[in-house]
């Protein structure tokens, strides 16, 4: 797997703290950059968001398709299923 | 080379000379003075004497520049459509090889724009 | 407290998506498929298996409506509140709104065109998966056009240049730049359109449009634009993914597709890049509070991200766009050259330009240490002197336009920033001029497209633009002369802004 960075750029919303905390916990090499009204997350190779991780931190059931409300931009090939959302370079 | 299309793809050029009411389009550019953002475009009658460009047209366009008054026209060099050109002020532009959508560029040696920045 | 239980599902996301997209398609039997889909073969693109299309977002219509409705609810609440509370008083400076005028005049009509053409593509691609994605994008783009118009309509109550953008888009000289870009794309076949718009514009170059405008809005107190920007951006990530998926799908279907796609990448990277030169000017010159320079944005969003992208596509035999190197060379000049164009022709524009103050020039010098003081500060200083003595410079003649991008030819030689770049071609006995090798390389393989270019300067000379004089043309533009155009200094909206700010200071004392 390549080590080129993938990235996700997210809106700042009430769900952001839980989402970012889940991403940090599940992706030890992720780097978080904060800008006015947006958060950029860069990570070598692959970045994954686990539904369970986010739900635990949010205190309610969170659906992966809610990422639609958070996303500003992404870099990398996307893979999504019921339990995860990931970007990766092959 | 042609366009890949679902049928016959041929159109008359929108800017053919015939569309300009007897004029040709001529572009003029004073090199080294890029505070004028681009070459200038004019619709000109082909029988217009070249001298009228120098005396009537260009001063109203370039005259505000501090270098304009200092130009020595004897030292200026020209190209017409990429080839060296010596304009004859007395002759018509059309009689000197200036045609539709021709580009005339001129250099005024020693005058390099604001503070030598070529602006 | 117990850990949350997983939601009960009969089908996985992948299964549901397959059933609600591919599962609802069929091959026609009473009419041949080629007759039902007459446009998806002529470009020479070969597809062997449409079922190989994978839509990573796996969005089905039921989820789509729910998610989009949620975005709209949030968005309109903010827009209405901004209007009710006179949010325009929170702007850093009214000069900022000239960026928004450029957006409404030049970008919003393209959202609408995208809506129309994605609807076309949604009908004319043989594969169901991409048809569904295109249909959603068509609705997204209409939503973008609507929300932009709605948001910006508030500014139309108090500021100038917003009142007739739709009319201006068809007529005003600088708006032929976005218009011709999109008309080139929609008159191409569906695959070229997808590479042009979904891949080149919405994946490779998108951040160079949206981040400058939306961050610029955030930094300058334009809450309304920020809000519609973020609402649109969440759709954009789906569009980006569609673009990348199209690319990979076509490349994987047949090796014969690779050279066709490479030609389109080369063409549309360049066309998109030239279109975005208007944004470079906006970022470096029109934002009172600046986000970053164009050069920095280019480095971040093209050189770094684009580098990673094209490294990934190399496995298919795709190389980076042919003239990307020129774009990178131009990064320290582009904004200055475009500002020069608009400063020259502010008398004919439906937005203002102005003389840049010392603090701003020093910022530019710091961001462009190799070019600004040497090449551009001198002209800004000359113009400021001329304006101060009552002789504000306006160019008295019309400019030479590039036949392809239709921008005035104010760009310079890649290796010489002091010499205007001139390129030309002869075709069927006529001369055509271009600003760059990139634009010439668009014309030369398909001259029959660009001999049709509706070049505003030539159209004025042909007498199609309301008359021979500048004022005739401006009236034909529906431009309010002396109000929408000319320098910001002394304009009606400048005087209004000063009055408002004076009122606030008095109230604060």
């Amino acid at each position: 797997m390549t080590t080129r960075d993938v990235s996700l750029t997210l809106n700042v919303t009430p769900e952001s703290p839980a989402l970012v905390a889940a991403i940090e916990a599940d992706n030890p090499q992720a780097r978080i950059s904060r800008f006015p009204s947006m958060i950029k997350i860069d990570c070598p190779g692959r970045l994954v968001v686990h539904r369970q991780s986010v739900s635990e931190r949010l205190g309610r059931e969170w659906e992966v398709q809610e990422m639609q409300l958070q996303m500003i931009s992404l870099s990398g090939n996307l893979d999504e299923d019921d339990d995860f959302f990931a970007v990766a370079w092959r | 080379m042609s366009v890949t299309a679902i049928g016959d793809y041929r159109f008359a050029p929108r800017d053919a000379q015939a569309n300009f009411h007897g004029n040709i389009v001529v572009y003029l550019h004073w090199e080294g003075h890029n505070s004028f953002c681009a070459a200038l475009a004019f619709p000109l009658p082909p029988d217009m004497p070249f001298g009228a460009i120098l005396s009537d047209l260009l001063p109203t366009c370039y005259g505000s520049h501090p270098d304009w008054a200092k130009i020595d026209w004897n030292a200026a060099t020209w190209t017409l459509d990429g080839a060296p050109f010596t304009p004859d002020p007395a002759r018509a532009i059309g009689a000197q090889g200036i045609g539709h959508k021709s580009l005339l560029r001129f250099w005024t040696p020693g005058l390099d724009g604001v503070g030598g920045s070529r602006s | 407290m117990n850990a949350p239980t997983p939601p009960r599902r009969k089908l996985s996301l992948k299964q549901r998506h397959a059933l609600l997209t591919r599962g609802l398609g069929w091959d026609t039997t009473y009419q041949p498929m080629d007759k039902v889909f007459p446009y998806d073969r002529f470009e020479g693109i070969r597809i062997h298996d449409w079922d190989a299309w994978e839509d990573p977002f796996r969005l089905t219509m039921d989820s789509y409506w729910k998610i989009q409705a949620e975005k709209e609810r949030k968005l309109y609440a903010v827009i209405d509140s901004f209007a009710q509370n006179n949010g325009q008083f929170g702007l850093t400076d009214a000069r900022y709104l000239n960026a928004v005028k450029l957006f409404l005049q030049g970008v919003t009509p393209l959202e609408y065109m995208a809506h129309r053409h994605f609807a076309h593509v949604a009908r004319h691609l043989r594969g169901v998966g991409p048809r569904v994605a295109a249909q959603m994008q068509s609705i997204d783009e209409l939503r973008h056009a609507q929300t932009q118009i709605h948001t910006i309509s508030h500014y139309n109550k108090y500021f100038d240049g917003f009142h007739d953008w739709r009319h201006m888009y068809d007529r005003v000289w600088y708006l032929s730049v976005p218009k011709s870009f999109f008309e080139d794309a929609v008159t191409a076949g569906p695959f070229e359109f997808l590479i042009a718009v979904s891949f080149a514009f919405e994946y490779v170059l998108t951040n160079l449009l949206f981040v400058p405008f939306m961050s610029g809005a955030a930094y300058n107190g334009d809450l309304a634009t920020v809000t519609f920007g973020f609402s649109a951006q969440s759709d954009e990530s789906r569009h980006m993914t569609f673009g990348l998926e199209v690319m990979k799908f076509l490349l994987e279907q047949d090796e014969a597709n690779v050279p066709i796609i490479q030609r389109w990448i080369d063409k549309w990277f360049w066309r998109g890049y030239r279109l975005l030169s208007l944004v470079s000017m906006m970022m470096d010159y029109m934002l009172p509070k600046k986000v970053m320079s164009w050069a920095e944005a280019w480095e971040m969003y093209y050189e770094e991200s684009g580098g990673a992208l094209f490294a990934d596509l190399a496995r298919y035999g795709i190389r980076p766009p042919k003239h990307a190197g020129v774009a990178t060379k131009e990064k320290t000049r582009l904004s200055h050259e475009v500002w020069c164009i608009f400063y020259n022709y502010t008398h004919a524009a439906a937005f203002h330009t102005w003389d840049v103050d010392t603090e701003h020039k020093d910022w530019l010098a710091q961001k462009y240490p190799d070019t600004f003081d040497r090449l551009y500060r001198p002209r800004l200083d000359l113009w400021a002197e001329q304006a101060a003595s009552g002789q504000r410079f306006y160019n008295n003649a019309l400019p030479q336009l590039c036949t392809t991008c239709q921008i005035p030819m104010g760009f310079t030689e890649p290796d010489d920033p002091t010499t205007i770049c001139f390129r030309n071609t002869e075709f069927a006995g006529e001369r055509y001029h271009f600003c760059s090798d990139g634009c010439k390389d668009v014309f030369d393989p398909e001259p029959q497209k660009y001999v049709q270019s509706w070049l505003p300067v030539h159209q004025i000379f042909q007498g199609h633009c309301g008359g021979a004089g500048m004022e005739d043309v401006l009236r034909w533009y529906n431009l309010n002369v002396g109000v929408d155009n000319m320098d910001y200094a002394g304009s009606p909206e400048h005087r209004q802004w000063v009055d408002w700010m004076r009122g606030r200071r008095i109230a604060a004392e």
Side-chain angles (χ1 to χ4, degrees):
Chain A
M1 185 183 77
T2 180
T3 54
R4 268 197 315 279
D5 273 356
V6 294
S7 75
L8 284 177
T9 307
L10 306 174
N11 270 324
V12 173
T13 66
E15 290 78 18
S16 298
L19 187 51
V20 173
I23 290 171
E24 276 182 302
D26 295 338
N27 300 274
Q29 291 187 285
R31 303 176 318 269
I32 317 287
S33 311
R34 292 171 196 277
F35 300 92
S37 309
M38 67 184 200
I39 303 167
K40 188 167 190 261
I41 305 161
D42 297 289
C43 190
R46 185 170 187 266
L47 181 65
V48 62
V49 182
H50 288 294
R51 186 192 59 76
Q52 183 78 347
S53 244
V54 178
S55 298
E56 279 164 17
R57 287 167 176 86
L58 206 48
R60 64 160 175 87
E61 277 311 302
W62 184 79
E63 304 286 339
V64 170
Q65 293 212 307
E66 289 184 54
M67 283 297 289
Q68 297 281 338
L69 296 167
Q70 308 289 126
M71 293 284 303
I72 291 176
S73 187
L74 55 83
S75 172
N77 298 299
L78 171 62
D79 189 16
E80 184 189 14
D81 206 331
D82 293 287
D83 293 316
F84 73 93
F85 181 104
V87 279
W89 294 119
R90 272 176 247 139
Chain B
M1 293 274 209
S2 61
V3 175
T4 303
I6 54 173
D8 196 22
Y9 195 95
R10 269 177 299 177
F11 297 90
R14 214 181 280 272
D15 292 330
Q17 184 175 335
N19 298 343
F20 289 88
H21 312 291
N23 291 322
I24 54 174
V25 176
V26 178
Y27 307 108
L28 281 142
H29 182 62
W30 185 13
E31 292 285 337
H33 293 81
N34 299 330
S35 53
F36 301 96
C37 60
L40 306 177
F42 302 95
L44 301 177
D47 61 4
M48 173 179 176
F50 192 93
I53 292 180
L54 300 176
S55 60
D56 301 349
L57 206 54
L58 296 186
T60 55
C61 303
Y62 289 127
S64 63
H65 196 285
D67 279 356
W68 181 257
K70 305 176 197 164
I71 294 178
D72 172 7
W73 288 104
N74 296 318
T77 59
W78 295 78
T79 60
L80 166 62
D81 295 325
F85 176 66
T86 308
D88 182 347
R91 285 174 78 210
I93 58 178
Q96 302 183 54
I98 297 167
H100 185 50
K101 293 197 257 168
S102 272
L103 170 65
L104 279 154
R105 300 165 70 176
F106 66 98
W107 288 256
T108 51
L111 297 172
D112 290 309
V114 186
S117 68
R118 300 185 68 73
S119 270
Chain C
M1 187 179 127
N2 290 331
T5 53
R8 254 175 278 259
R9 281 197 189 287
K10 285 187 188 165
L11 298 165
S12 75
L13 193 62
K14 284 180 174 150
Q15 288 170 315
R16 273 180 64 243
H17 180 260
L19 287 170
L20 287 172
T21 57
R22 219 167 295 143
L24 296 178
W26 74 97
D27 277 13
T28 58
T29 50
Y30 48 92
Q31 291 286 349
M33 283 288 275
D34 281 353
K35 207 171 161 202
V36 178
F37 296 98
Y39 297 138
D40 70 349
R41 294 235 157 119
F42 82 91
E43 294 173 272
I45 291 288
R46 292 180 201 167
I47 308 294
H48 303 290
D49 178 17
W50 278 101
D51 284 348
W53 175 277
E54 282 288 320
D55 187 338
F57 271 108
R58 314 207 196 287
L59 203 53
T60 51
M61 276 303 173
D62 55 330
S63 311
Y64 178 81
W65 298 126
K66 203 172 56 157
I67 288 167
Q68 297 303 100
E70 181 61 22
K71 291 180 195 174
E72 291 277 272
R73 262 194 293 277
K74 289 178 168 176
L75 174 60
Y76 279 91
V78 174
I79 294 171
D80 289 349
S81 148
F82 183 87
Q84 282 161 29
N85 292 307
N86 283 309
Q88 73 278 9
F89 290 132
L91 298 173
T92 47
D93 186 87
R95 279 181 189 83
Y96 158 77
L97 284 173
N98 293 287
V100 183
K101 295 174 200 179
L102 193 53
F103 190 90
L104 180 66
Q105 293 166 16
V107 178
T108 301
L110 298 191
E111 304 273 18
Y112 187 76
M113 284 302 298
H115 152 64
R116 294 296 302 273
H117 210 72
F118 275 102
H120 172 89
V121 166
R123 166 60 184 81
H124 284 292
L125 287 179
R126 205 168 296 231
V128 181
R131 282 215 304 280
V132 173
Q135 187 175 16
M136 289 179 186
Q137 179 147 356
S138 171
I139 301 167
D140 291 338
E141 304 290 7
L142 179 60
R143 185 176 89 87
H144 295 176
Q146 288 173 336
T147 56
Q148 286 158 21
I149 295 163
H150 190 95
T151 302
I152 298 173
S153 69
H154 176 69
Y155 291 126
N156 185 48
K157 297 176 201 161
Y158 303 107
F159 299 92
D160 305 310
F162 292 107
H163 59 283
D164 218 341
W165 55 276
R166 184 61 192 85
H167 178 94
M168 290 181 180
Y169 175 71
D170 287 333
R171 299 180 176 203
V172 175
W173 58 278
Y174 55 93
L175 299 176
S176 81
V177 175
K179 182 172 174 177
S180 64
F181 171 91
F182 228 86
E183 290 190 342
D184 189 352
V186 306
T187 52
F191 292 112
E192 182 175 350
F193 176 80
L194 290 175
I195 298 303
V197 176
S198 292
F199 180 71
F201 206 68
E202 301 229 87
Y203 191 89
V204 181
L205 295 173
T206 186
N207 289 324
L208 290 158
L209 175 64
F210 263 88
V211 172
F213 271 111
M214 299 312 140
S215 301
Y219 278 54
N220 288 280
D222 182 2
L223 172 65
T225 298
V226 171
T227 308
F228 91 62
F230 287 137
S231 185
Q233 271 304 112
S234 55
D235 300 333
E236 291 302 334
S237 50
R238 267 188 290 109
H239 301 173
M240 290 175 72
T241 308
F242 186 34
L244 189 57
E245 274 310 306
V246 167
M247 174 61 67
K248 286 175 352 194
F249 175 70
L250 297 181
L251 293 170
E252 283 168 3
Q253 282 294 309
D254 197 309
E255 267 183 5
N257 295 340
V258 175
I260 300 174
I261 289 167
Q262 184 69 63
R263 276 201 297 281
W264 289 339
I265 289 174
D266 292 343
K267 169 180 172 182
W268 287 102
F269 166 83
W270 187 258
R271 288 224 66 174
Y273 165 69
R274 269 291 184 252
L275 178 60
L276 291 175
S277 66
L278 301 177
V279 177
S280 76
M281 163 183 78
M282 189 279 292
M283 288 184 81
D284 283 349
Y285 282 87
M286 295 173 88
L287 298 178
K289 196 157 171 234
K290 296 163 194 54
V291 179
M292 63 174 78
S293 69
W294 169 260
E296 287 170 327
W298 185 256
E299 281 156 19
M300 188 182 304
Y301 292 114
Y302 181 73
E303 292 177 59
E304 286 164 25
S305 312
L309 167 69
F310 284 104
D312 192 59
L313 293 175
R315 85 169 65 96
Y316 298 109
I318 292 292
R319 50 153 179 77
K322 184 174 181 193
H323 297 289
V326 174
T328 295
K329 277 183 185 171
E330 288 188 342
K331 72 186 174 192
T332 54
R333 325 174 200 166
L334 195 70
S335 62
H336 314 286
E337 290 171 356
V338 179
W339 178 255
C340 184
I341 292 169
F342 282 96
Y343 191 90
N344 269 240
Y345 291 103
T346 304
H347 52 298
F351 62 87
H352 303 298
T353 63
W354 49 86
D355 286 298
V356 172
D357 67 26
T358 305
E359 196 186 324
H360 189 167
K361 286 182 216 178
D362 290 344
W363 181 87
L364 289 166
Q366 187 226 325
K367 294 295 180 183
Y368 294 99
D370 296 329
T371 52
F372 181 75
D373 283 331
R374 183 167 56 98
L375 299 173
Y376 307 117
R377 189 190 287 263
R379 69 177 67 155
L380 299 182
D381 288 344
L382 173 67
W383 292 335
E385 269 170 50
Q386 290 172 331
S389 66
Q391 301 292 320
R392 201 277 196 198
F393 168 63
Y394 294 104
N395 196 311
N396 283 331
L398 296 183
Q400 182 182 32
L401 302 180
C402 174
T403 298
T404 300
C405 69
Q406 306 207 6
I407 299 174
M409 286 171 51
F411 303 107
T412 48
E413 286 284 347
D415 295 316
D416 177 8
T418 67
T419 300
I420 295 291
C421 184
F422 293 101
R423 299 288 183 270
N424 65 84
T425 282
E426 209 178 285
F427 174 71
E430 294 278 334
R431 281 188 197 97
Y432 297 93
H433 295 274
F434 311 98
C435 68
S436 54
D437 290 317
C439 280
K440 180 178 152 79
D441 283 356
V442 170
F443 180 97
D444 284 344
E446 294 185 300
Q448 289 292 2
K449 273 206 125 175
Y450 308 96
V451 304
Q452 302 173 66
S453 291
W454 191 94
L455 296 175
V457 170
H458 293 174
Q459 292 298 314
I460 289 170
F461 293 163
Q462 291 181 34
H464 297 153
C465 301
M470 179 59 66
E471 287 233 359
D472 299 320
V473 174
L474 298 183
R475 245 177 274 115
W476 183 76
Y477 287 171
N478 278 11
L479 191 148
N480 289 331
V481 179
V483 173
D484 295 339
N485 61 346
M486 312 300 279
D487 201 287
Y488 176 74
S491 66
E493 67 187 26
H494 177 210
R495 283 184 265 119
Q496 171 185 260
W497 186 256
V498 168
D499 280 344
W500 283 349
M501 293 300 111
R502 187 180 300 129
R504 292 179 81 182
R505 280 198 295 281
I506 291 168
E509 277 151 18

